Amino acid sequence: MAANDSSVHVIDERVIIVQVLISLFLCINFLLITVFFMKDFFYTTMRYIFFALTLMSDCVFLLLTNALLILSYFRFNMHMSLCLIVYVAVSLYTFVTPVTLTAMTLERFVAICMPLRHRDLCSTRSALHCIVIIHGVSSLPCVVVLSIFFATASHSYYTKAIVCSVEKFILHTWQTHLRSAVNQFYFLVMVIIIMFSYFKIMKVARAASGQNRKSTWKGLRTVVLHGFQLFLCLFQLWCPFIDAAVLQINLMLYVNVRYFNYMVFILSPRCLSPLIYGLRDEKFSAALRSFVLCGLYKKH
């Protein structure tokens, strides 16, 4: 009995830690979103628009996954129709951030390798069109899963009250394999785009000189950080399969592995966006300091 009490106590502590971290990330993201809307330069520049999109996507994703975590922890049953709506949103915003990161990498590629065409290709109008495309591309995995679900689920299944999770919409083993194949296809395409942009920018960086060289290498470092963040975001697509495999071995090992996956591959990528553009970018960093210090900060 003591062992059981200890296990529950550990899980309670972990839930509290997650709540603290998510609250911190949300506060930081809301602060950065506020700064974004304070200057027209930010919301008329493609890379900052994409940055704000990742922040908003991360906020929605963190709020929804945290709500599911709490509901699952307390074994709270949800009507299937409501679970369906939650699943659609979670599935969509699971992909919006990595797809947006890929678009940001392409924007850096155009800015550095095609500077004369950057103004035309990366205008505010183009950014808004890209946002629609990003959401369309990000919704395709969800459409695939739900199309199969609607075709195979019985009518009575829609009236159930369940503990909501992604697995509730996977009724057959082959659906798991199909979802895995779709995720791996997305991973492959994004990795190819990241690597292509990296090598093209590397080539330009080696040929550049002076101020252009410094700017190009900075863009290259940004692409590397995007690649690392993208890797963490996409690795979470394999987390459900790892969790399922570990569950067959040991329950407490499953709890530990799932907690580790959630912290490393779901929460941590969401804190890298503020680092990459909120702190590394000179203009945004200056605006952020000015806002936090109530206008007292002046760049010399």
Side-chain angles (χ1 to χ4, degrees):
M1 185 69 178
N4 291 338
D5 291 341
S6 175
S7 297
V8 173
H9 179 66
V10 170
I11 296 173
D12 284 343
E13 287 180 346
R14 291 177 174 180
V15 171
I16 293 172
I17 291 173
V18 169
Q19 302 312 303
V20 171
L21 289 175
I22 287 180
S23 299
L24 177 62
F25 293 160
L26 288 175
C27 288
I28 293 173
N29 284 0
F30 284 136
L31 173 63
L32 295 176
I33 291 171
T34 301
V35 173
F36 167 79
F37 284 107
M38 288 180 60
K39 291 185 177 291
D40 57 359
F41 173 77
F42 294 142
Y43 56 79
T44 56
T45 304
M46 177 177 276
R47 70 176 183 271
Y48 294 111
I49 293 173
F50 285 164
F51 170 53
L53 178 61
T54 62
L55 293 177
M56 294 176 189
S57 170
D58 290 345
C59 287
V60 173
F61 182 83
L62 290 174
L63 286 170
L64 290 175
T65 55
N66 187 50
L68 289 178
L69 173 69
I70 295 173
L71 294 175
S72 176
Y73 178 73
F74 290 106
R75 309 299 298 173
F76 182 84
N77 288 330
M78 181 186 300
H79 194 274
M80 193 64 189
S81 58
L82 180 57
C83 181
L84 176 63
I85 295 172
V86 174
Y87 167 72
V88 169
V90 171
S91 178
L92 173 64
Y93 287 101
T94 295
F95 284 92
V96 165
T97 292
V99 173
T100 305
L101 289 173
T102 306
M104 293 171 80
T105 299
L106 288 175
E107 187 277 333
R108 287 294 82 199
F109 163 74
V110 172
I112 294 170
C113 300
M114 307 167 63
L116 298 179
R117 301 192 62 190
H118 183 259
R119 177 184 286 271
D120 295 330
L121 294 177
C122 300
S123 63
T124 305
R125 183 183 181 88
S126 298
L128 297 178
H129 290 162
C130 286
I131 290 175
V132 175
I133 295 172
I134 287 169
H135 281 79
V137 171
S138 301
S139 67
L140 290 179
C142 177
V143 171
V144 171
V145 172
L146 289 183
S147 297
I148 298 172
F149 172 76
F150 290 140
T152 57
S154 62
H155 179 72
S156 61
Y157 198 78
Y158 299 105
T159 62
K160 289 183 177 180
I162 59 171
V163 177
C164 188
S165 67
V166 175
E167 288 70 25
K168 300 301 181 182
F169 299 92
I170 306 296
L171 303 180
H172 306 284
T173 304
W174 62 268
Q175 289 177 265
T176 302
H177 299 320
L178 177 62
R179 186 178 64 157
S180 176
V182 172
N183 291 346
Q184 291 179 43
F185 173 75
Y186 270 65
F187 177 82
L188 179 62
V189 171
M190 292 178 192
V191 167
I192 291 173
I193 292 174
I194 291 282
M195 295 301 294
F196 170 81
S197 300
Y198 175 83
F199 286 113
K200 286 291 185 180
I201 295 174
M202 173 73 79
K203 185 177 180 180
V204 173
R206 288 177 174 174
S209 61
Q211 188 63 31
N212 287 338
R213 185 181 182 87
K214 181 180 178 181
S215 175
T216 303
W217 280 103
K218 184 177 180 180
L220 189 64
R221 289 193 296 270
T222 300
V223 170
V224 172
L225 288 172
H226 283 330
F228 178 68
Q229 188 180 8
L230 185 63
F231 168 77
L232 292 177
C233 284
L234 293 176
F235 195 87
Q236 70 173 287
L237 302 178
W238 277 275
C239 288
F241 307 111
I242 297 173
D243 295 343
V246 173
L247 182 59
Q248 304 298 320
I249 302 172
N250 182 275
L251 179 59
M252 280 311 300
L253 180 61
Y254 165 77
V255 171
N256 293 332
V257 169
R258 191 168 189 179
Y259 176 75
F260 175 82
N261 288 342
Y262 187 80
M263 297 292 288
V264 175
F265 300 115
I266 295 180
L267 288 189
S268 62
R270 268 70 193 177
C271 72
L272 288 179
S273 289
L275 174 64
I276 294 173
Y277 271 107
L279 300 178
R280 288 185 68 251
D281 187 88
E282 293 179 5
K283 292 181 180 179
F284 203 91
S285 179
L288 177 62
R289 286 183 226 174
S290 178
F291 176 73
V292 171
L293 299 176
C294 301
L296 297 178
Y297 170 78
K298 300 291 183 183
K299 183 176 180 180
H300 299 288

